[in-house]
Amino acid sequence: MQTIDFRLDAGDKNYGTAYVPDNPAGRMPVILYCHGGGMGCNGNIGGAFEKMRDRAIGQGMSFVTFDCFAGGKTGGDYGKMTYARWVQNASDVLDWIRTQDFADAARMGLIGYSCGSTVGLRLAAQDARVRFLCCVGACVTVHVGMGGGGAAKCFCDNLDALLSGERRNLFGVDFEKDFFIDDICNAPVHALHDGKVTCPTLFLQGLKDNAYRCSDARLGYDLMRRKGLSAKLIEYPDGDHGLWDVAEQAVNDLFYWLDEISF
């Protein structure tokens, strides 16, 4: 397996890594992995996602990761992060992938983990280049961090301070108002309700995850099926948020599904 480290010239100049088979037979399908959120978030992979990468390489695909704005090697002020900015980061990486000799630009899909699934859903709703989407630990609604009230409560409780330019803490990060407004107004549930996510979408959900993630996966699946769109939900009774304990089964299910949709 070859690794190609890159740094984009445009936008937030995101840092990333492309994993390519040692002897690529021409242009190949590409899977873009969008990491989860949190302080220091980056495209480092482990557990089920490392196994997904290795299976992809073994089947003649390439696998690309990247660090969002303020994450990992990309760097920046995480308090200025918004999901809209993260979506643009992912779009910029797709632009880079299209220029690479190893990439089949007509066959690019995305795996989104946790908050990365928010990014994947929002990108798929506006960018036809995303030919499939796999959401793990899905974040469809604004019910992220609901144990502490979530983004909407934090925004309402601190409205005057945020509108005056102050920051307020959510998930251990002091965010500016733009994060809260974007998160509340543009949650993927709206695009799913309107039928804007049209690419085949797979929800892989561990039932040992918190109740909000489990309900989001079911909601996302249900909204797509009601629109007659291609969606599949697989739930794992023994799976946690990152599917660590069911990694082998999750990988098998993902690649069986990719065969089903002829990716």
Side-chain angles (χ1 to χ4, degrees):
M1 178 171 57
Q2 305 176 48
T3 59
I4 303 170
D5 292 329
F6 63 88
R7 184 106 193 197
L8 301 184
D9 294 327
D12 288 324
K13 296 180 170 54
N14 299 85
Y15 172 89
T17 302
Y19 301 89
V20 182
D22 284 326
N23 299 299
R27 296 185 179 272
M28 66 192 79
V30 182
I31 297 176
L32 176 62
Y33 169 67
C34 197
H35 59 72
M39 287 297 290
C41 55
N42 57 61
N44 290 344
I45 52 178
F49 306 103
E50 185 175 14
K51 293 180 182 294
M52 290 175 183
R53 178 201 64 188
D54 293 346
R55 178 72 67 85
I57 296 299
Q59 294 190 194
M61 303 178 184
S62 55
F63 195 93
V64 179
T65 69
F66 72 100
D67 298 343
C68 69
F69 170 76
K73 295 182 180 179
T74 296
D77 180 354
Y78 200 31
K80 293 183 178 295
M81 166 60 75
T82 65
Y83 283 112
R85 188 170 196 164
W86 197 344
V87 171
Q88 184 59 55
N89 291 166
S91 179
D92 290 343
V93 174
L94 287 184
D95 289 343
W96 177 84
I97 291 171
R98 293 185 66 187
T99 68
Q100 303 307 301
D101 292 339
F102 64 78
D104 181 349
R107 299 177 70 190
M108 299 189 296
L110 189 149
I111 297 172
Y113 169 50
S114 190
C115 290
S117 70
T118 298
V119 177
L121 286 161
R122 287 179 58 168
L123 181 63
Q126 66 187 45
D127 194 331
R129 294 179 298 178
V130 180
R131 301 299 298 275
F132 81 81
L133 178 62
C134 173
C135 298
V136 177
C139 296
V140 171
T141 65
V142 296
H143 297 148
V144 178
M146 282 300 288
K153 184 176 188 304
C154 186
F155 182 69
C156 291
D157 287 349
N158 299 279
L159 182 60
D160 290 341
L162 286 164
L163 293 180
S164 69
E166 295 183 27
R167 299 186 181 194
R168 284 298 182 265
N169 190 277
L170 188 70
F171 318 131
V173 180
D174 291 328
F175 285 110
E176 296 182 349
K177 70 177 186 301
D178 289 348
F179 170 85
F180 296 94
I181 295 171
D182 177 63
D183 182 35
I184 296 165
C185 295
N186 299 307
V189 65
H190 305 303
L192 287 163
H193 181 270
D194 293 341
K196 293 181 179 178
V197 180
T198 58
C199 67
T201 301
L202 174 66
F203 297 90
L204 299 180
Q205 183 60 48
L207 295 183
K208 289 185 176 179
D209 201 349
N210 68 65
Y212 305 110
R213 303 285 64 75
C214 295
S215 64
D216 271 14
R218 293 177 183 178
L219 176 62
Y221 167 74
D222 184 61
L223 287 171
M224 291 193 70
R225 295 297 293 170
R226 288 187 185 194
K227 296 290 184 180
L229 298 167
S230 176
K232 186 172 185 177
L233 169 65
I234 302 176
E235 297 177 322
Y236 303 94
D238 296 324
D240 60 3
H241 187 52
L243 304 179
W244 281 78
D245 293 335
V246 294
E248 289 290 348
Q249 185 60 52
V251 172
N252 289 337
D253 289 337
L254 168 62
F255 282 87
Y256 180 78
W257 176 75
L258 289 178
D259 285 340
E260 282 185 334
I261 66 171
S262 301
F263 178 70

